[in-house]
Amino acid sequence: MASKRPTVLGKRSSPPLQLPRSKRSCVRVPGRRNVPPTWGVGKGDAAAGWNQLELTGQRGYPHSIIWALHQHKLGGAPRISFQHCLQKAFLYSLDCYRIFRTASPFDRRTTCLEWHPTHPSTLAVGSKGGDIILWDYEVLDKTYFVKGIGAGGSITGMKFNPLNTSQLFISSVAGTTSLKDFLGNTIRVFTSTDTWDYWYTSVDVSAKSRVVVTGDSMGNVILLNMDGKEIWNLRLHKKKVTHVALNPLCDWLLATASVDQTVKIWDLRQVRGKSSFVYQMPHERAVSAAYFSPDGAKLLTTDQHSEIRVYSASHWACPQHLIPHPHRHFQHLTPIRATWHPRYDLIVVGRYPDPNFAGFTPNELRTIDLFDGSSGKMMCQLYDPDSSGIISLNKFNPMGDTLASAMGYNILIWSHREIVTRKQEGLIKVMSEQGLGRGGSAHQPSPRNRPRQN
DNA sequence: AATCGATGTGTCC
DNA sequence: TGGACACCCTCGAT
């Protein structure tokens, strides 16, 4: 096998990428070429933007758990569960969500986002250059930064090790799926390519059945045990595998998405080849993501053009909802992926307005859209005019009260205005005590993207 | 198999 | 300030 170096086929013209890059080696860590990383505190006030609610029913009532309990007790319609009341209360509260903190720690686009499974204000974010940051946004400067190789290092998938949350499973264009810690040590390499002709595109892990699954850009899916022993490696798709996801409850159920325009569901215990799937879901376009819902009962897929789908376990064969939504693919954009809220039947996804999309309206904004998973209806949009880029990645934290977004080079943290205000006061105090204060107020907005300003 | 076009975001001049 | 251009290997159409 050829060494992992530029190839004619790959059209790579730069020197071998595994060598230290003279241009990059002296660059401070973290940091952009000539721009220091930026860390921002959101404005958190009402003027910061608008969030548009499209709920039916009354407004202006404190939509809290108390409200939900009250509603439930009133029991207007018996089929409306307490859970549903809670979800409604949560949707109302989104009206008050603001950007709480921002960070722009990389010298390339953000490609990957993963919340810490237990620590509520900590997340890992990966970049196109292979950098990874572990960031606790509630504590100033509490970050770990693992430097990547630069060009060609792109992080394609991340998953915290469920058995040791100081470690991350990482798949990368640089040619490995491996387990690393935040000091940069490689604990184990699960698979590697010795060529730039293909690379790994996604990882998932099951603590229960102790397996690691990874997909590659040729359509192969590899199943390994936690010790790194390969169980099988099979070409399950005709084109690049874009996403692999294990069912959180049923750990032998695997979903794979591909640019071959299919999503396939597999029984891990009996995979023999391309056609041994349990279900196949043909799509209109290449598919970027297929996430099982937290309760394992649904599957959410995002294609590369203008469709989000919800499938239900009761009937995998046919989608429960086809949701039209503009999020077309573009070479220099991190593919947009819709994700589930961890507690409610809600879907979050970034909008990339498209004049050719059927529902296009002039002056459409690059919002974050929330859909109800059971009705398929859009319930709410989040928007901040100071962060007007396309928001490719959106994930709620495991608690479900904070949203992390990836917008180009930037990471945005959204939470409830009251919490934002309270916490920001504390942060600004600490900043000014440490001489980091910026006139005692938040960042000055930049015309395009506030987080880039410093 | 090879070529082309789409068209976001940041840097440099 | 605005325009050129890099990014670096994406995907669909031809």
Side-chain angles (χ1 to χ4, degrees):
Chain A
M1 195 177 278
S3 67
K4 187 114 180 138
R5 64 175 64 243
T7 60
V8 175
L9 194 70
K11 288 188 231 164
R12 285 175 193 267
S13 52
S14 49
L17 297 178
Q18 280 177 327
L19 295 176
R21 341 209 83 213
S22 52
K23 270 189 192 166
R24 309 212 48 75
S25 55
C26 61
V27 174
R28 80 248 115 225
V29 177
R32 229 167 285 131
R33 258 185 293 278
N34 291 310
V35 186
T38 59
W39 309 91
V41 179
K43 285 191 284 195
D45 61 350
W50 57 266
N51 300 337
Q52 183 186 321
L53 281 164
E54 301 199 347
L55 289 167
T56 52
Q58 78 284 22
R59 300 188 56 167
Y61 195 82
H63 297 284
S64 59
I65 290 176
I66 309 296
W67 174 85
L69 260 172
H70 181 68
Q71 286 294 302
H72 183 59
K73 251 185 134 179
L74 285 178
R79 62 189 172 78
I80 295 183
S81 65
F82 179 51
Q83 179 67 12
H84 190 86
C85 292
L86 281 174
Q87 176 168 319
K88 217 168 156 186
F90 175 74
L91 277 166
Y92 277 112
S93 78
L94 282 172
D95 199 22
C96 297
Y97 269 54
R98 299 292 179 265
I99 292 177
F100 167 45
R101 289 217 62 189
T102 62
S104 312
F106 303 129
D107 62 354
R108 280 164 224 264
R109 265 166 36 207
T110 296
T111 53
C112 218
L113 196 68
E114 193 71 12
W115 282 94
H116 190 283
T118 52
H119 194 281
S121 61
T122 297
L123 65 160
V125 188
S127 87
K128 190 111 178 70
D131 301 341
I132 293 170
I133 193 170
L134 181 72
W135 181 35
D136 181 347
Y137 58 82
E138 287 200 347
V139 181
L140 226 48
D141 300 327
K142 191 184 165 193
T143 60
Y144 289 89
F145 192 98
V146 181
K147 192 82 191 114
I149 61 165
S154 194
I155 305 297
T156 52
M158 293 189 306
K159 187 90 184 183
F160 277 88
N161 183 357
L163 308 172
N164 178 352
T165 57
S166 67
Q167 301 172 345
L168 259 191
F169 288 90
I170 297 156
S171 60
S172 153
V173 173
T176 58
T177 290
S178 57
L179 179 63
K180 288 186 181 178
D181 67 20
F182 289 97
L183 300 172
N185 303 307
T186 300
I187 315 297
R188 174 166 292 127
V189 174
F190 285 84
T191 42
S192 67
T193 70
D194 294 322
T195 162
W196 284 100
D197 295 348
Y198 70 100
W199 57 90
Y200 299 102
T201 54
S202 182
V203 235
D204 201 4
V205 183
S206 162
K208 204 170 130 211
S209 55
R210 304 209 162 218
V211 293
V212 178
V213 197
T214 188
D216 75 22
S217 58
M218 302 290 281
N220 301 299
V221 178
I222 303 145
L223 181 73
L224 307 111
N225 69 19
M226 285 285 207
D227 300 325
K229 189 172 178 293
E230 187 178 294
I231 300 168
W232 48 254
N233 178 347
L234 294 164
R235 182 117 193 264
L236 300 185
H237 284 278
K238 288 184 189 143
K239 292 184 181 176
K240 182 203 273 183
V241 174
T242 51
H243 193 207
V244 296
L246 290 161
N247 190 297
L249 292 194
C250 184
D251 61 339
W252 48 262
L253 246 205
L254 170 74
T256 57
S258 168
V259 326
D260 71 6
Q261 313 194 349
T262 65
V263 170
K264 292 177 180 176
I265 294 197
W266 310 89
D267 178 343
L268 235 36
R269 302 164 301 182
Q270 40 190 330
V271 179
R272 291 172 305 278
K274 233 186 214 84
S275 306
S276 61
F277 50 78
V278 182
Y279 285 100
Q280 183 177 37
M281 290 107 154
H283 284 60
E284 293 298 315
R285 296 291 190 122
V287 190
S288 290
Y291 285 101
F292 284 107
S293 57
D295 67 358
K298 291 185 180 186
L299 187 78
L300 169 64
T301 69
T302 312
D303 78 352
Q304 294 191 351
H305 195 70
S306 53
E307 203 171 69
I308 295 167
R309 295 188 179 191
V310 178
Y311 288 84
S312 175
S314 57
H315 200 54
W316 289 127
C318 171
Q320 190 181 15
H321 292 293
L322 300 180
I323 304 172
H325 181 268
H327 51 255
R328 85 202 111 114
H329 175 89
F330 176 58
Q331 183 183 5
H332 301 299
L333 249 192
T334 298
I336 291 173
R337 293 176 155 191
T339 64
W340 293 101
H341 188 278
R343 296 179 53 191
Y344 303 121
D345 194 358
L346 292 172
I347 294 160
V348 226
V349 58
R351 173 177 294 248
Y352 176 13
D354 179 359
N356 297 122
F357 173 65
F360 179 78
T361 54
N363 310 318
E364 205 171 296
L365 296 167
R366 278 120 80 130
T367 49
I368 298 168
D369 301 343
L370 280 106
F371 289 89
D372 183 309
S374 54
S375 71
K377 287 197 177 119
M378 186 161 78
M379 305 307 283
C380 175
Q381 294 182 298
L382 300 178
Y383 183 71
D384 184 327
D386 293 330
S387 298
S388 57
I390 294 162
I391 302 176
S392 297
L393 268 18
N394 289 285
K395 276 184 185 169
F396 279 97
N397 65 347
M399 294 248 293
D401 63 350
T402 303
L403 175 68
S405 305
M407 179 187 81
Y409 286 40
N410 310 293
I411 311 163
L412 315 175
I413 306 293
W414 304 73
S415 61
H416 196 279
R417 182 176 55 196
E418 285 168 27
I419 297 162
V420 166
T421 311
R422 201 175 335 122
K423 289 183 176 170
Q424 275 177 5
E425 283 165 3
L427 266 179
I428 288 166
K429 191 163 164 250
V430 174
M431 281 170 120
S432 53
E433 278 168 11
Q434 295 184 3
L436 298 164
R438 294 173 176 86
S441 71
H443 277 199
Q444 286 296 91
S446 109
R448 277 194 78 84
N449 295 325
R450 172 160 45 102
R452 299 207 45 74
Q453 183 68 246
N454 202 2

